[in-house]
Amino acid sequence: MSSSVSSQHDQVLVEENSFARILTLNRPKQLNALSFQMISRLLELFLAYEEDPNVKLVILKGKGRAFCAGGDVVAVVHDIWAGGWRAGANFFMKEFSLNYLMATYSKPQVSILNGIIMGGGNGVSMHGRFRVATENSFFAMPETALGLFPDVGASYFLSRLPGFFGEYVGLTGARLDGAEMLACGLATHFVPSAKLPMVEAALCDADSSDPVIISSIIDQYCEKPSLKAQTVYNRLDVIDRCFSQRTVEEILSALEREVVDQRDGWISATIQTLKKASPTSLKISLRSIRVGRVQGVGACLAREYRMVCHVMRGEFSKDFFEGCRAILLDKDKNPKWEPSKLEHIADTTVDRYFSKVKDEDWEDLKLPTRSKFNLPPYVIAKL
């Protein structure tokens, strides 16, 4: 086995167990950040298991204190510096293809979210049928602070959260715990981490791909967690009033009106978070989530691929590279965004992120054909 193949296999551990396959993301020192090798290996395994009649379900989890803290963005940036923007585009093409396969998978995927789930980690879990949160779960989509936007199909799953909670989560990068994930629908179940080995053992013995049966097995170990007293989920009325506004500027104005009326520290903190984020990222993220409300998951991923190619090219803004420098490389946490103000970004500039890339040989995202599989109704509803 070549060293690259060995590395690919080491980064995703495989356990064959009766009717289930347990896949463990295995880069604990990097909080299981998704490398190109991991994404390629997951794609290969999911495709093989779908064809294998002996495999009834797939369990996905992470080693250590994270499920997955996102895509390995630092590696992507280094690849772009070494080989141009297409190197970054190749990473996202492979990642989004995996996200689509998981979203349209004909067998149940059970993601055990016992730890940090951020960015690309949500792409390999939120599209699956079952998402099990614990008291250790920690969700975020922090892309606007990096000069990116919530991708990996987030414009599909964030736009389907209650009210305008998805806009709030996507624009602010808000952190949610396991109880909040269950309340808003990001998680389908909540199981105390001490019971996870029992859940896995029971699932491995289930000779079924029936989601009703799989769900009932997980239900046996579930608890109903209490939302903490200061949970943001109790502020849905304020969130809906503010984040339903048409533009980012209007969202900020609405929040500023609320803070005068309520003198609430959470509202002030939300305003400051938005003001620290990349203005370009905020504008394209809001548009993306709004468009995602009326698109299927495939259309969302295809559009996000266009957007991410424009971001990698840096033609309209280089905020992604500046955000990575300030947050991940130099870690001075003081990015210099350009343009620096929301009012300097015209709607026509935002439009460009949603257009085809004008570059020779560039193509839109080609998603894998799924028609040959007998897809369950919950999958067909996403298309």
Side-chain angles (χ1 to χ4, degrees):
M1 186 182 292
S2 72
S3 60
S4 63
V5 172
S6 174
S7 165
Q8 189 175 359
H9 286 234
D10 292 345
Q11 291 181 20
V12 180
L13 304 179
V14 178
E15 188 180 337
E16 298 189 359
N17 221 323
S18 304
F19 304 104
R21 298 294 179 267
I22 302 175
L23 306 181
T24 304
L25 306 177
N26 185 37
R27 296 181 77 204
K29 289 182 180 176
Q30 294 83 17
L31 301 178
N32 299 321
L34 293 170
S35 65
F36 186 80
Q37 290 87 349
M38 288 171 88
I39 292 167
S40 300
R41 180 65 173 149
L42 286 169
L43 196 54
E44 173 190 319
L45 289 167
F46 269 79
L47 286 168
Y49 295 155
E50 194 161 41
E51 301 274 7
D52 187 343
N54 296 315
V55 178
K56 303 294 185 181
L57 77 151
V58 181
I59 298 170
L60 185 63
K61 61 182 184 175
K63 189 170 186 178
R65 65 190 184 93
F67 169 76
C68 172
D72 192 342
V73 176
V74 172
V76 172
V77 170
H78 284 304
D79 286 346
I80 292 171
W81 285 342
W85 72 273
R86 284 183 182 276
N90 288 339
F91 176 93
F92 287 101
M93 179 184 290
K94 184 79 77 170
E95 184 179 27
F96 291 6
S97 296
L98 174 64
N99 300 151
Y100 184 69
L101 177 63
M102 289 174 162
T104 58
Y105 209 54
S106 61
K107 299 177 182 182
Q109 174 187 339
V110 181
S111 300
I112 308 292
L113 306 175
N114 186 35
I116 298 164
I117 325 108
M118 295 170 71
N122 290 303
V124 294
S125 57
M126 293 301 145
H127 297 297
R129 182 65 183 87
F130 299 110
R131 306 171 297 279
V132 180
T134 75
E135 74 279 6
N136 300 318
S137 298
F138 170 105
F139 167 99
M141 291 295 292
E143 286 80 7
T144 61
L146 271 180
L148 194 55
F149 61 92
D151 59 340
V152 295
S155 63
Y156 181 83
F157 61 77
L158 289 181
S159 65
R160 282 153 178 81
L161 298 185
F164 293 87
F165 195 60
E167 278 89 338
Y168 163 72
V169 168
L171 295 183
T172 66
R175 298 174 177 185
L176 306 178
D177 64 21
E180 290 166 327
M181 291 176 68
L182 183 70
C184 74
L186 287 167
T188 58
H189 297 79
F190 183 98
V191 174
S193 58
K195 294 185 178 179
L196 290 176
M198 292 180 276
V199 173
E200 285 184 34
L203 288 172
C204 287
D205 288 337
D207 181 9
S208 177
S209 290
D210 184 340
V212 175
I213 293 172
I214 301 303
S215 186
S216 68
I217 290 170
I218 304 171
D219 283 341
Q220 294 170 33
Y221 304 92
C222 279
E223 289 185 6
K224 185 157 178 55
S226 299
L227 289 165
K228 57 186 184 245
Q230 295 300 312
T231 177
V232 69
Y233 206 66
N234 287 341
R235 293 184 162 96
L236 277 180
D237 55 341
V238 177
I239 287 171
D240 284 352
R241 277 199 302 274
C242 297
F243 284 84
S244 60
Q245 301 296 319
R246 191 179 63 84
T247 66
V248 179
E249 292 93 330
E250 289 167 1
I251 289 170
L252 274 164
S253 295
L255 286 164
E256 283 161 352
R257 286 194 297 274
E258 293 280 347
V259 84
V260 169
D261 294 341
Q262 299 192 38
R263 302 197 180 282
D264 184 333
W266 168 79
I267 299 174
S268 300
T270 301
I271 292 168
Q272 289 311 306
T273 298
L274 290 171
K275 288 185 173 178
K276 285 180 183 174
S278 156
T280 299
S281 290
L282 290 173
K283 287 210 167 187
I284 65 174
S285 298
L286 181 61
R287 172 86 66 88
S288 180
I289 294 167
R290 292 278 161 85
V291 173
R293 283 176 177 265
V294 295
Q295 287 185 324
V297 67
C300 284
L301 285 162
R303 171 178 43 72
E304 289 173 12
Y305 180 68
R306 285 187 179 187
M307 294 170 69
V308 85
C309 285
H310 284 297
V311 169
M312 298 298 109
R313 292 183 81 203
E315 185 181 353
F316 314 125
S317 169
K318 293 184 169 50
D319 279 2
F320 172 62
F321 301 98
E322 173 60 9
C324 289
R325 180 205 65 75
I327 308 299
L328 302 175
L329 298 171
D330 297 346
K331 300 184 180 178
D332 59 44
K333 297 185 178 176
N334 188 28
K336 300 287 188 281
W337 305 124
E338 185 58 44
S340 61
K341 294 184 184 300
L342 289 164
E343 56 266 32
H344 294 166
I345 303 161
D347 286 348
T348 51
T349 301
V350 176
D351 293 343
R352 291 175 179 174
Y353 282 89
F354 294 76
S355 65
K356 286 190 174 186
V357 174
K358 293 175 182 174
D359 193 279
E360 194 177 349
D361 300 330
W362 182 88
E363 291 184 341
D364 271 319
L365 181 65
K366 297 264 194 306
L367 293 167
T369 303
R370 310 293 297 134
S371 55
K372 71 172 180 172
F373 293 100
N374 186 20
L375 300 179
Y378 67 83
V379 167
I380 294 168
K382 299 180 187 179
L383 299 176

